[in-house]
Amino acid sequence: MRIAQLAPPWITVPPAGYGGTEWVVQQLCDGLTARGHDVRLYATGDSHTAAQLCSLFPREMPDKIGVTPFEARHTAFAFADMEQGEFDLVHDHSGFIAVAFSRYLATPMVHTIHCPFDELGYGFYEQFARDVGYICISEYQRSMAPPGMDWAGRAYNAIEVDQWPFTSDKDDYLLAFGRVCEAKGFHHSIETARRLGRRLIMAGVLQAPYRKYFREMVEPHIDGDQIVYEGEVTMERKRELFANAGAFLFPITWPEPFGLVMIEAMACGTPVVAMRQGSVPEVVDDGLTGFVVDPEDLDAFVSAVDKVDQIDPAACRRVVEERFTVERMVADYEAIYRRYLER
Ligand code: UDP
């Protein structure tokens, strides 16, 4: 197949730091190319891909995430090029603009909904459901859509398992990792570590909209000893942190659409303790790869963290190898593309 992949315009593919969607796009482009498809990727010029790269903007601009004129220019550039390209299919991962205008493109389009299916998305996706084949990244996401809305399919996100070091010999710290914001529950992780008298290492990017949260809910508790915040870390440090942690804490307060960090932890043999929100029960098997507790039940969360030694690290790794590999994700997408084109 000749496939155009449209990434968001803000972050390099693959990302140097934060970027869940961009990891998925990178793995998909490389995987589809390896399977013999002819893939063109529209992404920033500093991206690296086995596909053919086509760019308007030379470099990533993480400080402009969500700024519409950049998304509009990137999409208009890609659409103009797609008109020449004679693709069989366009696969869009960007924001809203490509979906809204896909009916003016001669090529069929599928779109992975990478964000949560919230109130704003509800009406938007429903309006364009006849024009685009939507792909969800969890059953939870599918369940949040307007009733009767068609889906082209579901493809869980994935990681290159071999890139994540496995160890069953853990250090004593607990880990909180991701975008530092209320949705990811960093304040709950801090409270958990304090109640258990355990060390907590936090790491992850602090984006502009969440500075107030950080100042009020996180920063006052950092003491550089029991409660540590390392900021945005290198890929190497990230993998080390995930591998050596006694547990990965995920006390989220939002409906996580997938949550790559959970499978990153599990691949390293690190159990996940999470609150039951969004996709969590589809990713973490309660009692096997970690514990899943009721949302906002911090007492239950703390107790679960305290018994995390019961979880076998090898089982965590095995589940990722069985369910969340790149090979599986690429095969799922390929099957979805074929079904969509034959509909
Ligand atoms: N990530 C990172 N550095 C950071 C924050 C996040 O490398 O400072 C990575 C994280 O390891 C994961 C991705 O970015 O691979 C975030 O995806 P996820 O689905 O966990 O959450 P999102 O932030 O997209 O809601």
Side-chain angles (χ1 to χ4, degrees), residues 154-171:
R154 186 210 71 208
Y156 283 133
N157 288 346
I159 53 171
E160 288 285 2
V161 185
D162 292 348
Q163 292 178 0
W164 294 86
F166 172 84
T167 173
S168 49
D169 184 19
K170 303 295 185 186
D171 287 349

Side-chain angles (χ1 to χ4, degrees), residues 17-20 177-179 184 204-205 232 238 254 259-261 264:
Y18 168 68
F177 189 97
R179 286 182 290 126
K184 304 287 180 178
V205 63
E232 214 177 341
K238 166 167 123 174
W254 80 325
L260 273 172
V261 285
E264 292 169 349

